[in-house]
Amino acid sequence: LPYVPRVSPMALLGKVTATTFALERPRGVFEGHADASDAVWLAVAFANASAAFRNPLSRADVPPYKQLPTARSYMTLETAAAAYSCSAPSPPVLRVGSDTACREQGRQDPCNGPLPFPGPYRVKFLLMGCRGPKAETRWSEPILLRRAVSPSSIDPAPAGRGSALVVIASILASLGAVLATTVLGALGAKVWGSLCHRDLGTDAFIRRSYRTHHIPPALPQPLRPPGQCCSAPLPPAPC
């Protein structure tokens, strides 16, 4: 069949991880080739081993998941052909490598276990009936899984951006210092002006003199003539 499997083009979280990838679910690809009793399988192989893959003649010959390291390929996701029809209410993607219980149970039947190597891998869909293969798709393009990075290999300060970050940090620090100095200067000038104004008002109040206009000032006393008794009364002061 001309259909080529591919990783789902939808925006998905974890579309490709270190052990899994989300494959687009084919719809209507096997119309006219499948019967109600047929099943669709997914063949998974290392990219450099896909050309040597041989379709099994029966279900008993299906290569299991546990033989991937030695056989370089396996088959999984056995599904009734009707689930791939155009009108079938099924999820739009197939998650390859999602069954984490495969290694623990050690089952002999085909399993959809986590992919133990980054690959790259190629996949294809195979339609099988009770008498063997009936139709198949083309192999996909190589699919490379994500690789975990060792913490010791991460450079905390990349050489290409280290100097630029230092310059930016210096500029920001300088701008912050200038802004702080300007704000403090403005506040200091305002406070100093307020204190000066308060002192001037107090001095003006202290130095202010009061002159009484309703009481005439006292006139100087006339000198007593010689020989006059000190007890003689003085003439009254003129008004």
Side-chain angles (χ1 to χ4, degrees):
L1 302 176
Y3 178 79
V4 178
R6 62 173 181 170
V7 173
S8 175
M10 299 175 59
L12 300 173
L13 291 176
K15 182 186 299 187
V16 178
T17 68
T19 58
T20 67
F21 60 88
L23 200 64
E24 180 184 53
R25 189 184 191 95
R27 294 183 179 276
V29 174
F30 304 103
E31 298 289 345
H33 301 276
D35 297 328
S37 59
D38 294 343
V40 176
W41 291 76
L42 180 69
V44 183
F46 285 103
N48 56 4
S50 60
F53 181 83
R54 297 292 179 265
N55 294 333
L57 298 180
S58 65
R59 191 183 185 281
D61 299 327
V62 169
Y65 161 77
K66 66 178 183 178
Q67 293 184 4
L68 174 61
T70 56
R72 311 288 292 173
S73 61
Y74 72 102
M75 291 177 61
T76 185
L77 295 178
E78 180 184 14
T79 307
Y84 290 99
S85 63
C86 295
S87 59
S90 54
V93 297
L94 300 171
R95 175 68 65 173
V96 181
S98 62
D99 191 356
T100 58
C102 289
R103 294 179 180 177
E104 299 175 1
Q105 298 177 359
R107 296 180 298 184
Q108 297 297 324
D109 58 321
C111 186
N112 185 27
L115 298 170
F117 308 103
Y121 298 92
R122 290 181 185 267
V123 297
K124 72 173 182 179
F125 290 95
L126 179 64
L127 177 66
M128 292 187 63
C130 58
R131 297 184 179 181
K134 298 178 64 176
E136 63 181 323
T137 66
R138 299 180 183 273
W139 285 101
S140 68
E141 295 296 325
I143 301 173
L144 182 65
L145 303 184
R146 295 185 179 275
R147 298 185 182 185
V149 179
S150 175
S152 60
S153 64
I154 299 177
D155 186 2
R161 292 180 291 177
S163 58
L165 292 178
V166 171
V167 172
I168 293 174
S170 301
I171 293 175
L172 293 178
S174 301
L175 292 177
V178 172
L179 180 60
T181 303
T182 303
V183 173
L184 291 177
L187 291 177
K190 184 176 182 180
V191 172
W192 180 258
S194 177
L195 292 176
C196 290
H197 180 73
R198 183 179 301 175
D199 291 342
L200 290 174
T202 304
D203 292 343
F205 178 79
I206 293 175
R207 296 178 182 177
R208 183 178 301 170
S209 63
Y210 292 89
R211 301 184 62 182
T212 57
H213 298 279
H214 63 284
I215 300 175
L219 297 178
Q221 297 294 331
L223 297 176
R224 294 182 180 86
Q228 186 177 358
C229 181
C230 295
S231 59
L234 296 175
C239 294

